[in-house]
Amino acid sequence: MIKPLNSLTVFASGILTAFCLVSAVNAAPSEEVRNLDELLSIVKQGRVEDRKLIKQRESQFMADKNRQASLLKEAKEALKREEERSQSLEALYEKNEIALTDQQEILEKRLGALKELFGHVTGTAGDLRTTLHTSLTSAQIKGREAFLDSLIKKMNSSVELPSIEEIEQLWYEMQREMIESGKVVKFTTKVIEPTGTETDRQVVRIGTYNLISDSKYLQYDADTGVISELPKQPKTQYLDYISDFESAESGQYPIGLDPTGPKGGSLLSALIDSPNLVERWHQGGVVGYIISLVGLSALLIALWRFVVLIRLDVGVTRQLGQQKPSTDNPLGRVLNVYEENPNLDPESLELKLAEAIVKERPSIEKGLPALKIIAMVAPLMGLLGTVTGMIITFQAITIFGAGDPKAMAGGISAALVTTVLGLIVAIPTVLLHALLSARAKRILQVIEQQSAGLIAEQAESGEQMNVRAV
C-alpha cells in the first residue's frame, strides 16, 4: 500500500532531484539526456561519485589529524628534553662559577707580590708603545707595536700571564730604543716627494731627531708610517750642511737638528713658517703696495735729481775756470746777464742778477719738495695700514674669540708690516732729501757768490769813475 506523500516530503524530494540533476549535468555536461531513464542513471552515477569524494576527503582529514597529533607529541618531547638540558646547564654553570671563584683565589694567592710586578710591566709596555708609535726609529724598525699590543692584551686578561721570554723581549725593546736614539743610521725606504711620487731613497736617521735625504729634511707620519719630504724647506744656510753630513762615513760634522719631534718639530716648523722678506711685504696688503710704490717713486726722483745736480755742479765748476760765460749751466746764464748789461748801475744790475737767479732756482730745486712730501706722508700711510689691520684683527677676535694667540699675533704682525714699510720709505727719503738739498744749496750759493762779486765789482768801478770825474 502506497502512502500518500505530504507536502514537506514532496518539497524535499524535489530539491534532492534538482540537486541530483545539477550534479549529473555538471558531472557529464557533454552527455545528452534523451529520456527519464537515462537521467535517473546519470543521477545515480553522480551520487556514487559524490560519496567517493566525501570518503576521500574524510580519509585525508583523518590523516592530517593523526599527523598533527604526532607532531604535537614530538614537540612536547623536545620541550621536555630542552627543559632537562636547561636545568643541567644551570647546574653546570653554578658549578663552574664556584670552581672559577676557587681558581681565582688560588691565582691571587700564588701571584702574591708578582701582581704588583705585572702591573708595572703593563704600565711600562703601554708607555713604551706610546713612545715607539711616535719615534723615528719606527720608520726603520717595524713590527714592535704588534708585539706590545699582544703583550698588553695578555696582561689585561685574567686567564693568561706573560712568559719569561715575553718580559725579556719587553726589556730588549726598551734597551734597543735607548741605543738607537743615539745612533746615526743609513737605511733605504720609500719616500713620498712633494709631487706625490713615491721613490726608494737612502735615508739618514739622526737619532730620534730628524730624517734627511738628498740634502732635504723629511717628516715621518706616525699614524700612517709614511715618510715624506717636507714641502717647504728651511733657509739655505740650514741645508748647506746636509750634503756633507750624508756623504760622511765617520767624524764630526755640523748639522741642524730639531729635538722637538719626529714630524718636523716645532723649531723646524717655525723656521719653515717664518716668512721671508717678500712674504712679509705681501702681508702689508694694499696699503703696503701703495707705500712701496711711493717709495719707488721717491727713489726714482732722487736718482734723477742726483744725476741732474751732478751735471749742474760739474757745469758750474767748469764755468768758474772760464772767462767767457756759457749758457749750458746756471752760472753761465747768470753771468751772461752781466755781460749783456755792462753799463747798468749797481742797483739795477743787482735786480737783473736776482731775477736771473730766481729763474734758475726752480730747475735746481726741482723734485726736492716731492721728496719732502713723501718723507712726511710715508709714515702716515704706514700708520693707516696698522690701524686698518688692527681693526680687522679685533673683528676676527669678536667673531672667533681670543682662544688662538697665534692667530692674533699673526694679524698684529701683518698690521705692523705697513708701519715698517712706511719707516723704510721715510728714513732713506729724508736722507736723500737732505743730501740733494745740500748739493742744490751749494750750486745756488756759488751762483749767488758770483753775482754778489759782479755787483761789488760794478759798484767799485762806478766809484772810481766818479772820483776821476771830480
Side-chain angles (χ1 to χ4, degrees), residues 73-175:
K73 182 179 179 181
E74 291 178 0
K76 289 181 178 180
E77 291 177 355
L79 177 61
K80 184 178 180 181
R81 289 195 302 270
E82 292 299 326
E83 289 177 349
E84 292 176 355
R85 182 169 172 270
S86 176
Q87 293 177 359
S88 175
L89 290 176
E90 288 179 358
L92 180 61
Y93 178 77
E94 294 176 357
K95 181 179 179 181
N96 289 337
E97 282 286 334
I98 296 173
L100 181 60
T101 303
D102 295 339
Q103 293 297 326
Q104 286 179 345
E105 292 178 356
I106 294 173
L107 178 62
E108 293 288 339
K109 291 180 181 179
R110 290 184 177 180
L111 285 176
L114 292 179
K115 184 177 181 180
E116 183 177 356
L117 174 63
F118 289 152
H120 288 297
V121 171
T122 304
T124 302
D127 295 339
L128 181 60
R129 186 191 182 283
T130 302
T131 301
L132 295 182
H133 179 70
T134 58
S135 176
L136 284 182
T137 57
S138 297
Q140 178 186 4
I141 306 172
K142 309 290 185 179
R144 297 181 295 176
E145 295 184 36
F147 160 71
L148 294 174
D149 289 337
S150 63
L151 178 60
I152 293 172
K153 183 178 179 181
K154 181 179 290 187
M155 296 294 295
N156 292 328
S157 174
S158 59
V159 296
E160 290 184 286
L161 291 176
S163 62
I164 297 298
E165 291 77 10
E166 290 174 332
I167 296 177
E168 290 178 349
Q169 180 70 19
L170 174 63
W171 172 82
Y172 170 76
E173 295 296 344
M174 293 176 62
Q175 296 294 325

Side-chain angles (χ1 to χ4, degrees), residues 320-338:
L320 291 175
Q322 296 177 356
Q323 296 295 328
K324 187 178 181 180
S326 176
T327 58
D328 61 351
N329 63 89
L331 179 60
R333 288 190 288 271
V334 172
L335 294 178
N336 190 43
V337 172
Y338 173 76

Side-chain angles (χ1 to χ4, degrees), residues 241-253:
Y241 303 113
I242 296 181
S243 179
D244 296 337
F245 190 86
E246 285 182 305
S247 60
E249 297 295 335
S250 62
Q252 296 181 354
Y253 291 86

Side-chain angles (χ1 to χ4, degrees), residues 4-25:
L5 299 174
N6 54 25
S7 59
L8 182 59
T9 303
V10 174
F11 179 74
S13 298
I15 293 176
L16 180 60
T17 302
F19 177 75
C20 291
L21 288 173
V22 173
S23 299
V25 172

Side-chain angles (χ1 to χ4, degrees), residues 212-238:
I212 57 176
S213 176
D214 293 345
S215 301
K216 300 291 180 61
Y217 283 96
L218 309 179
Q219 64 178 354
Y220 172 66
D221 191 343
D223 296 330
T224 60
V226 174
I227 300 175
S228 59
E229 182 180 314
L230 288 174
K232 184 179 179 182
Q233 298 289 328
K235 297 179 180 179
T236 307
Q237 58 182 343
Y238 299 103

Side-chain angles (χ1 to χ4, degrees), residues 21 24 28 120 127 141 171 197 200 233 241 282 293 307 321 335 348 362 371 375 393 403 406 409 423 446-447 452:
L21 288 173
H120 288 297
D127 295 339
I141 306 172
W171 172 82
T197 306
D200 290 330
Q233 298 289 328
Y241 303 113
H282 286 297
L293 182 61
V307 172
L335 294 178
S348 299
L371 291 177
T393 301
K406 291 184 178 180
L423 294 176
V446 171
I447 296 174

